[in-house]
Amino acid sequence: MAQLFVSGGESYFGQGAVSCLSDIFKKYKFERIVVVSDAEIVNAGVIQSVVKLLAKNRIIYQVFDKVYHNPTVANVKAGVELATSFNTDAFIAVGGGSVLDAAKAMSLMCANREITDIRKLEGDVNKTKNKAMPLIAIPTNFSSGSEVSSVFMLSDMNNNRKISCKDKNCIPQEVIIDPDFVLSLKARQTALSCASLFALAVESYLSAKAWSVTEYYSLQAVKLILENAKSAVNKNVKAKENLLNAQYFAGLASSNGGLALMHALSNALEVTHDVNHGVSCSLLLIPVLKFNAPSSGSKYKDLAIAMGAKVSDKASPADYRKTFINAVTKFFKELGVPKKLSEVGVKINDGDFMAECVLKDVHTQDNLKEVSKRKVLEIYKGIA
């Protein structure tokens, strides 16, 4: 059976890669650009190098910094309205997965004016006709891989749920992978980013839609994360650069392979209780791994080896599955990420509604094992 692998346009890697923006501006002959970010990143001065290059190249720009950490349908609508009134030629997204997801939705809507409600794009289908308005993606953490992904996720606050959209037309045309943009991440932010990225890489490997090429990228991402996470938390620049590369790999794997139950669970938790994505991944990955273990074949063995764990050739499935889960537990403990929602002051309410959201989530259908409402409620209860 033929498999489709979709990736974006050009990507520039390395410290100082942001300077390549000048060449990009000239290539496309941009005159007006909207910079999409969030208030925290703008206030921290992270976008200043981008702003200076815009000014140097005499490009008129506006900054849209109203993206929430769990980006909403309303954020996207406001961004599109600004871009339309400003008559923008392109977008530059400077931020984490939330900012990049919102900018992808904005650029897609601006190029497909018949789409007046972004929620109509929900699902695992390419629904638009036109390629998105040019978008330059500059990630400021390493947790989502959104810069190379055809997927974006948004919170629909009117219906209290998170929607997932997949459209190859939304993949950014240009990507800047520059470690200077992650140097300001504090230790806790770095640890949570590592946990989120690790969960992304692992689940993309375990998705029912994973295949040989995506599996390769997933395992490479896992190896890079384990090799660099501790040093990155301790502010090592090269380690952070390597984690940006791991994010790139995991983004390609998840976009072309898929995700599964853990992300469905985190989507419902994040939209109903405003939980940080890194926190939700830290809490949910291990319970989901335990649930899926009997249906995982030899994949936990591959993942354990990628993490550097010792696995005997004679190890039984039960043994290497246990080895992998123990390795993940140890890794998360070393990162110091939360084990329970109570640690971040969150108490689950309306579990039945959350469970219904999980069962309807597009990611759940790609889980290795069939999921019931009872199991979803049990997992949520276990992390309370």
Side-chain angles (χ1 to χ4, degrees):
M1 182 178 72
Q3 296 279 7
L4 176 64
F5 189 93
V6 179
S7 58
E10 297 178 331
S11 298
Y12 301 83
F13 291 81
Q15 197 156 15
V18 69
S19 64
C20 296
L21 281 175
S22 291
D23 293 332
I24 295 172
F25 296 156
K26 293 172 184 176
K27 178 173 72 172
Y28 289 95
K29 299 180 180 179
F30 292 142
E31 295 180 356
R32 306 173 72 85
I33 289 179
V34 170
V35 179
V36 181
S37 193
D38 64 43
E40 183 178 354
I41 290 172
V42 171
N43 292 336
V46 177
I47 72 168
Q48 283 307 303
S49 59
V50 173
V51 168
K52 288 179 181 178
L53 286 166
L54 287 166
K56 180 180 179 181
N57 287 274
R58 298 183 178 181
I59 293 174
I60 302 169
Y61 69 91
Q62 281 204 12
V63 176
F64 179 83
D65 63 355
K66 307 300 182 185
V67 179
Y68 193 54
H69 74 86
N70 281 318
T72 67
V73 170
N75 292 159
V76 172
K77 182 179 179 182
V80 170
E81 289 173 352
L82 171 66
T84 301
S85 62
F86 181 63
N87 196 28
T88 193
D89 300 322
F91 293 89
I92 299 177
V94 184
S98 298
V99 168
L100 269 58
D101 276 9
K104 283 154 67 175
M106 293 174 199
S107 64
L108 199 58
M109 289 186 74
C110 283
N112 294 273
R113 294 294 181 178
E114 71 279 7
I115 306 296
T116 57
D117 185 345
I118 195 66
R119 290 172 295 188
K120 293 181 179 179
L121 300 183
E122 183 178 8
D124 195 15
V125 183
N126 300 307
K127 295 182 178 179
T128 59
K129 297 177 182 178
N130 303 320
K131 195 169 184 63
M133 184 174 283
L135 169 61
I136 304 166
I138 307 177
T140 61
N141 64 22
F142 24 78
S143 63
S144 73
S146 183
E147 68 275 13
V148 290
S149 173
S150 61
V151 178
F152 58 88
M153 299 183 191
L154 302 170
S155 295
D156 176 8
M157 302 311 295
N158 288 339
N159 295 297
N160 209 26
R161 67 192 188 95
K162 185 169 280 194
I163 63 170
S164 177
C165 307
K166 184 170 184 177
D167 195 311
K168 62 184 180 182
N169 283 331
C170 80
I171 301 175
Q173 287 90 330
E174 305 285 345
V175 178
I176 305 290
I177 306 295
D178 188 333
D180 286 342
F181 284 84
V182 298
L183 295 184
S184 62
L185 282 177
K186 296 178 181 178
R188 177 172 170 78
Q189 293 173 310
T190 301
L192 288 174
S193 287
C194 287
S196 176
L197 178 58
F198 180 78
L200 179 75
V202 167
E203 191 161 57
S204 65
Y205 189 71
L206 297 174
S207 167
K209 288 184 178 177
W211 52 288
S212 58
V213 173
T214 67
E215 289 170 344
Y216 172 81
Y217 280 112
S218 298
L219 290 178
Q220 291 305 308
V222 168
K223 291 176 183 178
L224 280 172
I225 295 163
L226 266 292
E227 290 169 359
N228 292 279
K230 295 178 188 176
S231 296
V233 171
N234 291 321
K235 301 181 180 181
N236 182 283
V237 177
K238 185 61 179 177
K240 288 188 173 184
E241 183 175 4
N242 288 338
L243 288 174
L244 282 171
N245 294 340
Q247 175 176 239
Y248 195 93
F249 294 158
L252 289 172
S254 61
S255 179
N256 290 281
L259 295 169
L261 177 60
M262 194 220 72
H263 274 79
L265 288 161
S266 66
N267 285 344
L269 181 60
E270 289 160 24
V271 74
T272 56
H273 293 76
D274 200 27
V275 174
N276 172 278
H277 186 61
V279 170
S280 67
C281 290
S282 304
L283 297 171
L284 290 164
L285 180 61
I286 293 172
V288 171
L289 290 176
K290 290 179 179 178
F291 169 65
N292 281 332
S295 302
S296 62
S298 62
K299 285 200 163 188
Y300 282 25
K301 181 178 182 180
D302 302 333
L303 287 163
I305 293 170
M307 291 186 71
K310 294 181 180 179
V311 180
S312 169
D313 292 337
K314 298 180 180 180
S316 68
D319 288 338
Y320 58 65
R321 288 165 186 166
K322 182 179 179 180
T323 297
F324 171 54
I325 292 172
N326 286 344
V328 176
T329 303
K330 179 183 177 183
F331 177 52
F332 277 12
K333 182 178 180 180
E334 291 172 346
L335 287 177
V337 293
K339 297 179 181 178
K340 298 287 184 180
L341 277 172
S342 57
E343 295 177 41
V344 291
V346 174
K347 183 178 181 180
I348 288 182
N349 50 55
D350 204 2
D352 285 340
F353 173 76
M354 293 169 64
E356 292 298 330
C357 289
V358 171
L359 295 177
K360 293 177 183 177
D361 194 296
V362 294
H363 298 312
T364 301
Q365 66 190 16
D366 296 328
N367 198 59
L368 291 174
K369 188 177 179 181
E370 188 173 348
V371 183
S372 67
K373 181 178 179 179
R374 180 181 178 181
K375 174 50 67 173
V376 170
L377 291 172
E378 183 181 316
I379 291 174
Y380 279 140
K381 183 178 180 180
I383 65 168

